Amino acid sequence: MPRRQGHALLIALVAGTAALAALVAFAGSLLFTGPRTKGVAAPVPQGAVRAPAAPAHSTGLWLATWAAAPVRGEPAPQQGADPGVRTIRNVVHTSIGGDAARLTFSNLFGTHPLLIDRVTVNGRPVTFRGAPSVTVAPGRQTVGDPVVVPVAADADLVVTLRTPTARGPVTVHPHSHQTSFTEDPLGTHRTTDWRYLTAVDVRGRAATGTLVAFGDSLTAGSGSTTDENSRWPDVLADRLHGRYAVVNQGIAGNRLLRDGTGPRGLDRFERDVLGVAGAKTVVLALGINDIQASPQQADPARITQALRTLTRRAHTRGLRVIGATLMPYEGHRNWTPARDAVRARVNEAIRAGGIFDQVLDFDRTARDPARPERLRPAYDSGDHLHLNDAGYQGLGSLVDLSALLRARPSSDAL
């Protein structure tokens, strides 16, 4: 289904058929020959690229079509007769298609073992080493068995799971700009948080690699329209038409050098970039929150050194690194001339070369030609820091598609 058509229909179908979906998931799980006991999957190391998992005679590449970085833990729900029982329907949007899918679930911020069961992807049951359930240890993640299910590019995908005994904290990615659903004894509820699900990989032949957009709120899409999939990585995926995967690992409020909203960029890079299936290219768009958020980083050299460190780490895994300049934000409550001078010096170092393989000049694209310290009025979401849909359209148009499409196929071949 096209990106911007039929989303209201999807919401109605998901919310209106909750009971039927649960019944289908349960009935489907009975078809498996494995015992109906807790299947404890061996945890996948936090930074490891997920290995191929499909019949040896199959062909194609496993690439991430969607991902969301785990950000924080939230308390488990306390209402209802059985507060641990909750069904979660994560609605995600694909960048490429394929003939099979595999899912990654995270208990990164949990302090108790997490039991997940009755898992489906677009209605098809998901197993874990043949079992219909899995227990994920605190601080770990797990990958489900491959599921033969058609996955379309540029389409919404529904991943449903039940947590029958969850005690929390719940690992979430908040502020997704996408409507998902939870169901508990009190009813069905809309949410813009993704819970537990952190990646969807697909097996296909059309795409040759994955681009990981690694950034903050300006990558996550703050200021964009909910359910329109208008973040700049979405715009880039639209331009690629399923020929190269694009996943968004932006976290609103994230920083390079200091933990805060999510783990700092230096620490989460291994998991959220190098651990992405088929990653061949990364766009680094971090640093503005180190400058503008309290406590502020006043030394531009520390920011540029951190960016160089990430580039070196990406190069050791064979990734091409594209870096973005930092956009203006005069008019925002945290702006000062001194902080803007730090931003300007970081941008000077980026443009001078020696940090990245290629530069995307987000600053030049988004700034007002008449007042370069401010965003273009047509791109400003209203807070003078984040962009609107038109602004993200401008950023997503900057990536050189020919350079991406010349990249070698992923080593995650079957």
Side-chain angles (χ1 to χ4, degrees):
M1 182 177 292
R3 177 183 302 278
R4 294 178 178 86
Q5 296 180 8
H7 191 86
L9 176 60
L10 171 69
I11 292 175
L13 288 172
V14 173
T17 61
L20 179 59
L23 177 62
V24 169
F26 177 72
S29 68
L30 296 178
L31 298 177
F32 291 93
T33 57
R36 288 194 58 83
T37 58
K38 293 183 183 180
V40 182
V44 177
Q46 286 290 338
V49 176
R50 293 178 292 282
H57 64 269
S58 64
T59 60
L61 302 175
W62 281 107
L63 302 173
T65 186
W66 171 90
V71 176
R72 58 176 171 81
E74 69 173 15
Q78 297 301 313
Q79 70 275 19
D82 189 350
V85 177
R86 181 160 59 162
T87 298
I88 297 165
R89 293 179 184 82
N90 291 303
V91 179
V92 305
H93 200 81
T94 63
S95 59
I96 61 170
D99 60 10
R102 63 184 183 188
L103 313 177
T104 300
F105 298 96
S106 175
N107 192 25
L108 179 63
F109 297 104
T111 56
H112 301 87
L114 170 68
L115 173 63
I116 298 174
D117 69 3
R118 300 187 186 179
V119 182
T120 63
V121 52
N122 275 6
R124 303 284 181 92
V126 177
T127 57
F128 303 86
R129 295 189 175 185
S133 64
V134 65
T135 298
V136 188
R140 308 297 291 187
Q141 64 182 31
T142 192
V143 182
D145 300 332
V147 179
V148 176
V149 57
V151 177
D154 190 18
D156 285 346
L157 194 74
V158 181
V159 176
T160 301
L161 63 140
R162 193 182 74 145
T163 56
T165 58
R167 297 171 60 191
V170 179
T171 296
V172 301
H173 179 101
H175 314 303
S176 71
H177 309 286
Q178 185 102 36
T179 303
S180 294
F181 303 87
T182 65
E183 182 183 347
D184 59 30
L186 298 182
T188 300
H189 318 279
R190 291 173 176 252
T191 178
T192 56
D193 295 351
W194 287 312
R195 290 171 168 86
Y196 299 121
L197 181 70
T198 57
V200 178
D201 304 337
V202 295
R203 186 183 63 199
R205 302 179 185 181
T208 59
T210 302
L211 178 145
V212 182
F214 186 71
D216 48 39
S217 58
L218 294 161
T219 296
S222 296
S224 67
T225 303
T226 297
D227 295 327
E228 286 297 311
N229 299 297
S230 53
R231 317 161 191 87
W232 74 256
D234 298 317
V235 175
L236 174 58
D238 283 347
R239 295 173 61 213
L240 286 162
H241 300 292
R243 295 172 292 171
Y244 206 92
V246 179
V247 300
N248 189 334
Q249 296 283 44
I251 295 177
N254 200 226
R255 302 170 66 146
L256 270 168
L257 299 169
R258 182 184 291 269
D259 292 341
T261 306
R264 65 178 185 161
L266 285 171
D267 291 339
R268 71 183 184 95
F269 190 77
E270 180 77 17
R271 178 187 62 247
D272 294 345
V273 175
L274 303 181
V276 171
K280 289 296 177 184
T281 304
V282 56
V283 176
L284 297 181
L286 271 174
I288 195 63
N289 289 323
D290 294 84
I291 295 170
Q292 68 89 18
S294 181
Q296 291 83 16
Q297 176 53 247
D299 184 359
R302 290 202 61 197
I303 295 172
T304 55
Q305 183 56 43
L307 294 173
R308 287 189 179 92
T309 297
L310 294 182
T311 296
R312 285 196 298 269
R313 290 168 62 186
H315 283 168
T316 62
R317 301 288 187 90
L319 272 67
R320 180 166 172 262
V321 182
I322 303 172
T325 54
L326 306 182
M327 289 180 283
Y329 67 103
E330 183 184 16
H332 187 266
R333 64 182 181 275
N334 288 342
W335 187 91
T336 68
R339 293 170 193 165
D340 199 55
V342 176
R343 180 186 68 88
R345 289 180 62 187
V346 171
N347 284 347
E348 287 172 6
I350 290 174
R351 293 187 180 110
I355 299 179
F356 305 120
D357 301 321
Q358 180 188 341
V359 173
L360 295 181
D361 208 332
F362 281 5
D363 170 54
R364 188 163 292 156
T365 298
R367 70 192 184 196
D368 184 347
R371 298 186 64 178
E373 296 80 15
R374 284 180 175 257
L375 294 172
R376 292 176 182 266
Y379 285 179
D380 192 341
S381 68
D383 66 0
H384 309 301
L385 175 65
H386 300 104
L387 304 183
N388 56 23
D389 292 348
Y392 290 123
Q393 180 72 40
L395 301 188
S397 301
L398 294 179
V399 176
D400 181 353
L401 300 190
S402 62
L404 274 182
L405 297 175
R406 286 196 300 268
R408 291 184 177 181
S410 168
S411 60
D412 196 15
L414 301 180

